[in-house]
Amino acid sequence: MNRHTPRIRDVARVAGVSTATVSRALSKPEVVSAATLEAVRAAVQATGYTINQSARNLRQRRTMGVVALVPNLANPFFSRIMAGVSAVLAPAGYNLLVVDTQGPGVERHIARTLDRSRADGLLVFDGTLPADDLLPDRQSPPVVMVCEWIEGLATPTIRVDNAAGARLAMAHLAGLGHRQIGHLLGPEGNVLAQARAQGARAALAERGLPVREDWFFPGDFSLESGRRGACEWIARPDRPTAVFCASDEIACGFIGEVQRRGLRVPKDVSVVGFDNIELVAHITPALTTICQPRRAIGEAAAKVIIALMEGDAAPGGHKVLPLELIERDSTSSPRN
Amino acid sequence: MNRHTPRIRDVARVAGVSTATVSRALSKPEVVSAATLEAVRAAVQATGYTINQSARNLRQRRTMGVVALVPNLANPFFSRIMAGVSAVLAPAGYNLLVVDTQGPGVERHIARTLDRSRADGLLVFDGTLPADDLLPDRQSPPVVMVCEWIEGLATPTIRVDNAAGARLAMAHLAGLGHRQIGHLLGPEGNVLAQARAQGARAALAERGLPVREDWFFPGDFSLESGRRGACEWIARPDRPTAVFCASDEIACGFIGEVQRRGLRVPKDVSVVGFDNIELVAHITPALTTICQPRRAIGEAAAKVIIALMEGDAAPGGHKVLPLELIERDSTSSPRN
DNA sequence: CGAGCTGTTGTAATCGATTACACTATCGAA
DNA sequence: TTCGATAGTGTAATCGATTACAACAGCTCG
């Protein structure tokens, strides 16, 4: 019958009221009379009307969209956080847009998202973005940093205390009797990696244990860098009896290579990871690791950005979620 | 200075031209004179103008958005596919919206996305959605099924030949000399799980090997279901000497539990997975698995949906991407 | 009985870009 | 010189909902 999708005008005609009334019936039902409300409902049914979001967005000057800027979408670390974000955003009527900050020519694309007509809010998971772009001004939507942060940028941040997590790990290893403890680092410029390394150094120093830079192996959070770390670790004549890895993926890569070389975990080396991704409970040995409440991080981030978008000026600012050491089978007392 | 964000009218005034000209200068530069183009460019610079997407969307009757309906966002299997999708969508100017099809009350939310004013295209990763909702009509945007599909729904689909993948796995195990081969199933209603199970059965039958239903262990793609499968497998007096798992996560859960019980892989049981997620190359033993080209799947899906959105009526329809068995260390000849 | 509410509805302006159509200037061909 | 084609630009309608404002009915209160 209708050659095009029904508009609010069609509903109004069928219901015998004005478009204003239809609009009100749909968005604030409490201001229209019961009879009219019913008529509108029926007309909506009859016409199969669905609202045109673009028109509403234009008029209301918002997009109902939240953009998540994620460094490397392929990293499974983010998936559970995203699930948490989505679980809060969706019921509130917001759309979750995902943008990968890696890859060629993304700068342009990111810049595009940074204005209000694109998104009402921004969740930034990447601490390496140029801080200038994220400064709050009239043009750009509110920003919440998640996990990572940018030094000197005062923006609400949801994160964990990474240094404290590193201390937990080191305390656990030291408590088991290890006195020679190394660290597999995350990527050089990364704030998480830095905080974890700094926490590890501090924990060693506090206990009077050696802080040897040649036991801090370079890496980048990836499996492959864990594997390389294992090669370097093995090659060292005086190698640490335990290592704390800046991520679970590093730990998996490390353990895999160590085992492939015929050594045993935890017998020959104890290993602690960071993140507690699902899988590490099931590898052999099950990985002792620092558990990040990933879903809670996502949920918290979503709640804060919603509060900001809906006008709450100061919705709590920085939020630091608790970390926890999960002891499994990859750590034990050193051999002797 | 300006109390509000600059509009095209402001640019027009500064450049001394009409809004129509500004619009043309920005979207089809070839139709305006070089001088005007330059003036507009300068004016855009001067005013800091950025286009208002909502207005453009309203007028052009599109949203530049593609929605991905994903069952369980937390599943790392999807992350690399999403990276592929994003890598194609972003340069083409489309936004990627992600919706989790699990969780409470999502039906309403999904329904909302299914009209043209919300998204220009739909990528469906969930084969359990009601087929009716996805039937193409004037109201709903084009749909591409990815990985999973819905029986009887003629919609372009990007997938792999799951049954063939299962055959590859079984052929590999049979080739090693196994004659008692089991299968850890995916979730019951899932088309992927069904296709893989059916392929596994067929491969066994073709070779005259026993097809024993009690060697088909129930599961749901998860690590935990792999662990449970291992418990059941161990409890069986006459257990198969090899198992093919419907996903890598199942395989990891299975291997972990088997090893925890003191048995060895592949000595006591050979294991083949499905997907080739990054991690399984690094566990011990490295997992032999069927490699899905996940990034390529994402890229292909994005290309097809773009073609559909831009009007190509028949952009190739079904596309089946190649699978490959990757032999690692979790499979060997049976003990005797 | 009239002023002042309250509750309900309609009219029309508005959000900001795109684009159909009309118009002018310029140039080559007849 | 005139006609037509072409290139470049402006005017104003349009996309579809929201909402400021006004209008009006029915009531209460003095």
Side-chain angles (χ1 to χ4, degrees):
Chain A
M1 272 289 127
N2 292 325
R3 45 170 19 104
H4 55 15
T5 80
R7 295 159 304 171
I8 200 171
R9 191 184 273 113
D10 302 313
V11 178
R13 185 162 16 78
V14 171
V17 297
S18 73
T19 62
T21 300
V22 174
S23 176
R24 284 186 287 247
L26 295 175
S27 51
K28 13 184 161 150
E30 68 278 9
V31 306
V32 305
S33 73
T36 317
L37 199 58
E38 190 40 51
V40 170
R41 257 199 245 292
V44 167
Q45 273 292 320
T47 53
Y49 172 75
T50 60
I51 199 175
N52 181 312
Q53 270 301 322
S54 298
R56 178 204 277 253
N57 288 345
L58 172 58
R59 180 63 228 238
Q60 298 193 327
R61 296 145 154 280
R62 56 198 194 142
T63 67
M64 296 311 279
V66 173
V67 171
L69 293 179
V70 182
N72 187 9
L73 259 184
N75 186 336
F77 171 72
F78 293 111
S79 51
R80 182 163 290 253
I81 296 181
M82 285 303 170
V85 170
S86 171
V88 172
L89 248 30
Y94 289 98
N95 297 119
L96 172 60
L97 315 226
V98 178
V99 175
D100 198 328
T101 59
Q102 312 286 0
V106 266
E107 285 81 14
R108 234 170 15 94
H109 192 257
I110 293 172
R112 263 197 250 142
T113 58
L114 287 174
D115 85 278
R116 265 231 156 65
S117 85
R118 286 258 163 188
D120 299 335
L122 220 55
L123 296 175
V124 180
F125 292 78
D126 185 341
T128 66
L129 294 181
D132 300 346
D133 293 355
L134 301 179
L135 285 175
D137 70 38
R138 202 76 19 226
Q139 302 263 11
S140 61
V143 176
V144 172
M145 300 285 315
V146 193
C147 296
E148 308 197 358
W149 63 92
I150 298 178
E151 297 299 345
L153 186 65
T155 258
T157 304
I158 307 296
R159 58 186 193 85
V160 295
D161 186 338
N162 290 274
R167 287 179 135 91
L168 277 180
M170 299 312 255
H172 170 66
L173 292 170
L176 288 169
H178 290 276
R179 305 198 52 80
Q180 302 172 322
I181 309 179
H183 178 48
L184 273 73
L185 294 150
E188 209 160 337
N190 183 283
V191 285
L192 302 178
Q194 288 164 357
R196 291 172 197 174
Q198 174 263 313
R201 282 200 183 84
L204 288 173
E206 281 164 17
R207 291 178 171 72
L209 299 178
V211 182
R212 289 183 42 178
E213 286 307 318
D214 59 334
W215 286 351
F216 283 69
F217 302 93
D220 58 9
F221 288 148
S222 74
L223 286 158
E224 174 55 23
S225 79
R227 199 192 59 71
R228 280 198 305 273
C231 297
E232 292 188 39
W233 173 80
I234 279 182
R236 200 124 310 166
D238 56 339
R239 51 197 188 213
T241 61
V243 296
F244 160 51
C245 300
S247 79
D248 280 355
E249 298 218 328
I250 293 180
C252 287
F254 180 88
I255 292 175
E257 185 64 19
V258 163
Q259 292 176 329
R260 200 157 300 117
R261 304 289 191 100
L263 297 179
R264 303 279 197 69
V265 177
K267 206 169 144 197
D268 297 306
V269 58
S270 285
V271 179
V272 179
F274 204 111
D275 288 347
N276 193 34
I277 61 179
E278 282 68 36
L279 231 142
V280 297
H282 295 265
I283 64 172
T284 304
L287 187 68
T288 295
T289 192
I290 305 299
C291 177
Q292 291 210 51
R294 297 194 283 143
R295 192 182 174 90
I297 289 172
E299 291 172 351
K303 282 178 193 154
V304 172
I305 196 69
I306 288 178
L308 284 171
M309 293 186 302
E310 305 196 336
D312 294 24
H318 293 240
K319 185 160 188 174
V320 178
L321 279 79
L323 288 173
E324 180 187 3
L325 180 119
I326 302 204
E327 186 171 355
R328 297 207 184 90
D329 310 326
S330 64
T331 48
S332 69
S333 295
R335 200 196 287 256
N336 296 318
Chain B
M1 273 288 123
N2 291 325
R3 49 174 10 106
H4 55 13
T5 80
R7 294 158 302 172
I8 199 171
R9 191 186 272 114
D10 303 313
V11 177
R13 185 163 15 79
V14 171
V17 298
S18 72
T19 63
T21 300
V22 174
S23 176
R24 284 187 286 249
L26 295 175
S27 52
K28 13 185 160 151
E30 68 278 11
V31 307
V32 306
S33 74
T36 317
L37 199 57
E38 191 39 52
V40 170
R41 256 199 246 292
V44 167
Q45 273 292 321
T47 54
Y49 171 75
T50 61
I51 198 173
N52 181 311
Q53 270 300 323
S54 297
R56 180 205 277 255
N57 288 345
L58 172 58
R59 179 63 226 236
Q60 297 193 328
R61 295 144 153 281
R62 55 192 192 151
T63 68
M64 297 309 279
V66 174
V67 171
L69 292 178
V70 182
N72 187 7
L73 261 184
N75 186 335
F77 171 73
F78 294 112
S79 52
R80 183 163 289 254
I81 297 181
M82 284 303 169
V85 170
S86 171
V88 172
L89 247 31
Y94 288 97
N95 297 120
L96 172 60
L97 315 224
V98 178
V99 175
D100 198 327
T101 59
Q102 313 286 0
V106 267
E107 285 81 15
R108 235 167 16 93
H109 191 256
I110 294 172
R112 263 198 250 142
T113 62
L114 286 175
D115 83 280
R116 265 229 157 65
S117 85
R118 286 256 164 188
D120 299 336
L122 220 54
L123 297 175
V124 179
F125 291 79
D126 185 342
T128 65
L129 294 181
D132 301 347
D133 293 355
L134 301 178
L135 287 174
D137 70 37
R138 203 74 24 223
Q139 303 264 12
S140 62
V143 175
V144 173
M145 299 284 316
V146 193
C147 295
E148 307 197 358
W149 62 93
I150 298 177
E151 297 297 347
L153 185 66
T155 258
T157 304
I158 307 296
R159 57 187 193 85
V160 295
D161 187 338
N162 290 275
R167 287 180 135 91
L168 277 179
M170 299 311 255
H172 171 65
L173 291 171
L176 288 169
H178 291 275
R179 303 198 53 77
Q180 302 172 322
I181 309 180
H183 178 47
L184 272 72
L185 294 150
E188 209 160 335
N190 183 283
V191 287
L192 303 177
Q194 287 163 359
R196 290 170 197 174
Q198 174 264 313
R201 284 200 182 84
L204 288 173
E206 281 164 16
R207 290 178 173 72
L209 299 178
V211 182
R212 289 184 42 179
E213 286 307 317
D214 60 334
W215 286 352
F216 282 70
F217 302 92
D220 59 8
F221 288 148
S222 74
L223 285 158
E224 174 55 23
S225 79
R227 198 191 59 69
R228 281 197 305 272
C231 298
E232 292 188 38
W233 172 81
I234 278 181
R236 200 123 309 165
D238 58 336
R239 49 197 191 213
T241 60
V243 296
F244 161 52
C245 300
S247 79
D248 280 355
E249 298 218 326
I250 294 179
C252 288
F254 180 89
I255 292 175
E257 185 64 18
V258 163
Q259 292 176 329
R260 200 156 299 118
R261 304 289 191 102
L263 297 179
R264 301 279 198 70
V265 177
K267 204 168 147 200
D268 297 307
V269 57
S270 285
V271 179
V272 179
F274 204 112
D275 288 347
N276 193 34
I277 60 179
E278 283 68 35
L279 229 141
V280 297
H282 295 265
I283 64 172
T284 306
L287 186 69
T288 296
T289 193
I290 306 298
C291 177
Q292 291 209 52
R294 298 194 283 144
R295 193 181 174 91
I297 289 172
E299 291 173 350
K303 281 179 193 153
V304 172
I305 196 67
I306 287 177
L308 284 170
M309 292 186 302
E310 306 198 334
D312 295 24
H318 293 241
K319 184 159 189 175
V320 178
L321 279 79
L323 288 173
E324 181 188 1
L325 180 119
I326 302 203
E327 186 173 354
R328 297 206 183 92
D329 310 324
S330 65
T331 49
S332 68
S333 296
R335 199 196 287 256
N336 294 316

